[in-house]
Amino acid sequence: PRLHTLVIRENAFGPRSVKALGRLIKCIALKRLDISACTTASDNLQALMKAIVSGESDLESLICNKPSGTYQRPIFESRDAAKALADMLKHPDCRLKHLELRNQQITPDSCHAIIETLANNRSLENLMLHGNAVYAHGFDQDSIKRAASTLETLAKHLQSPHSQLARLAFAKQRLEIWVICTLRHKKDSDDFPYAQRIKASLESIDASLRAHRHEAPISTVSANGLHGG
């Protein structure tokens, strides 16, 4: 029998252990790796990401969640670590289908770098980003403007003929509520055009995900309420 799943949660990796893990990924045709709640330096993480796209790896599922309520530093919190992740996702030998990054506290700029990889990534089907700043979460005009731009980029990349992404999870409920309230009650405000842009992007994102799941499209946000799966 072959080892297809390796779960090594709540461990700290140094250079030697990361090198050994990289060899393991390549040698035993590992399919699923769970390193949730683990810690390591960003240069070690870069080495691990390179092993995953070495051309010898069959890894399809990478789980890197940080449990809620823990005080350790998230493994992908730093800009260098997030860049290593984005570099892996845009590599032509990336075969990952499932990626979980819950509660990694990834910044809006780093999330944008990850989103930019989706236009040309041909393998990723599920991406879990709860607990990360996919967009700036404030409701001042600068934050709303950046959110509109990020979601438009995401919507555009999901329409790429290369994209296979069928499930995408990130916190958007507060933003959807803001959109609904703005479209209903603030038609003369400076926020109204941004609400329209965000609404259109969320609907486009939902339609693309449903199309990749071969489901009929439905509206994600309307001025009368919330819709969508």
Side-chain angles (χ1 to χ4, degrees), residues 6 8 13-30 33 35 44-59 62:
L6 181 61
I8 44 177
F13 297 124
R16 292 177 62 186
S17 55
V18 167
K19 188 175 181 180
L21 182 58
R23 289 199 301 266
L24 192 65
I25 289 171
K26 293 185 284 188
C27 292
I28 65 172
L30 196 68
L33 175 63
I35 55 172
N44 296 330
L45 201 58
Q46 290 172 7
L48 181 60
M49 298 297 103
K50 288 179 180 178
I52 291 174
V53 292
S54 64
E56 303 171 69
S57 168
D58 292 324
L59 196 70
L62 179 62

Side-chain angles (χ1 to χ4, degrees), residues 101-151:
L101 299 165
R102 290 185 176 93
N103 300 318
Q104 288 294 329
Q105 299 177 22
I106 301 173
T107 66
D109 287 343
S110 293
C111 279
H112 192 84
I114 293 170
I115 288 170
E116 286 287 359
T117 70
L118 299 178
N120 294 307
N121 183 288
R122 297 170 181 263
S123 63
L124 198 63
E125 298 174 0
N126 302 291
L127 177 60
M128 307 297 146
L129 287 173
H130 278 304
N132 299 286
V134 174
Y135 53 87
H137 285 174
F139 291 102
D140 59 281
Q141 193 163 101
D142 183 62
S143 296
I144 290 299
K145 183 178 180 180
R146 292 183 65 190
S149 177
T150 296
L151 292 173

Side-chain angles (χ1 to χ4, degrees), residues 1-207:
R2 305 190 74 172
L3 179 66
H4 291 296
T5 298
L6 181 61
V7 179
I8 44 177
R9 299 171 184 160
E10 299 181 5
N11 285 283
F13 297 124
R16 292 177 62 186
S17 55
V18 167
K19 188 175 181 180
L21 182 58
R23 289 199 301 266
L24 192 65
I25 289 171
K26 293 185 284 188
C27 292
I28 65 172
L30 196 68
K31 296 291 187 182
R32 182 177 183 269
L33 175 63
D34 187 342
I35 55 172
S36 295
C38 289
T39 59
T40 191
S42 59
D43 53 346
N44 296 330
L45 201 58
Q46 290 172 7
L48 181 60
M49 298 297 103
K50 288 179 180 178
I52 291 174
V53 292
S54 64
E56 303 171 69
S57 168
D58 292 324
L59 196 70
E60 295 181 351
S61 180
L62 179 62
I63 301 172
C64 310
N65 297 325
K66 176 182 174 291
S68 299
T70 59
Y71 295 99
Q72 69 191 84
R73 183 178 180 182
I75 196 170
F76 284 109
E77 181 184 33
S78 74
R79 179 172 296 186
D80 287 344
K83 182 181 183 302
L85 178 66
D87 289 343
M88 177 196 69
L89 289 172
K90 67 184 179 183
H91 195 283
D93 288 325
C94 180
R95 300 175 185 175
L96 280 184
K97 294 182 179 180
H98 183 91
L99 177 60
E100 292 188 23
L101 299 165
R102 290 185 176 93
N103 300 318
Q104 288 294 329
Q105 299 177 22
I106 301 173
T107 66
D109 287 343
S110 293
C111 279
H112 192 84
I114 293 170
I115 288 170
E116 286 287 359
T117 70
L118 299 178
N120 294 307
N121 183 288
R122 297 170 181 263
S123 63
L124 198 63
E125 298 174 0
N126 302 291
L127 177 60
M128 307 297 146
L129 287 173
H130 278 304
N132 299 286
V134 174
Y135 53 87
H137 285 174
F139 291 102
D140 59 281
Q141 193 163 101
D142 183 62
S143 296
I144 290 299
K145 183 178 180 180
R146 292 183 65 190
S149 177
T150 296
L151 292 173
E152 284 173 341
T153 300
L154 176 57
K156 180 183 72 174
H157 289 343
L158 290 182
Q159 292 174 355
S160 163
H162 303 309
S163 177
Q164 303 296 318
L165 200 67
R167 299 191 184 278
L168 171 66
F170 64 97
K172 59 181 179 178
Q173 186 174 18
R174 290 181 63 215
L175 185 63
E176 289 177 326
I177 292 172
W178 176 87
V179 167
I180 290 167
C181 292
T182 302
L183 293 179
R184 281 182 181 174
H185 307 298
K186 299 182 179 181
K187 294 183 178 180
D188 296 326
S189 73
D190 292 338
D191 290 340
F192 189 79
Y194 295 113
Q196 289 180 309
R197 287 170 58 187
I198 291 170
K199 174 180 180 289
S201 294
L202 289 173
E203 289 180 341
S204 175
I205 291 165
D206 184 71

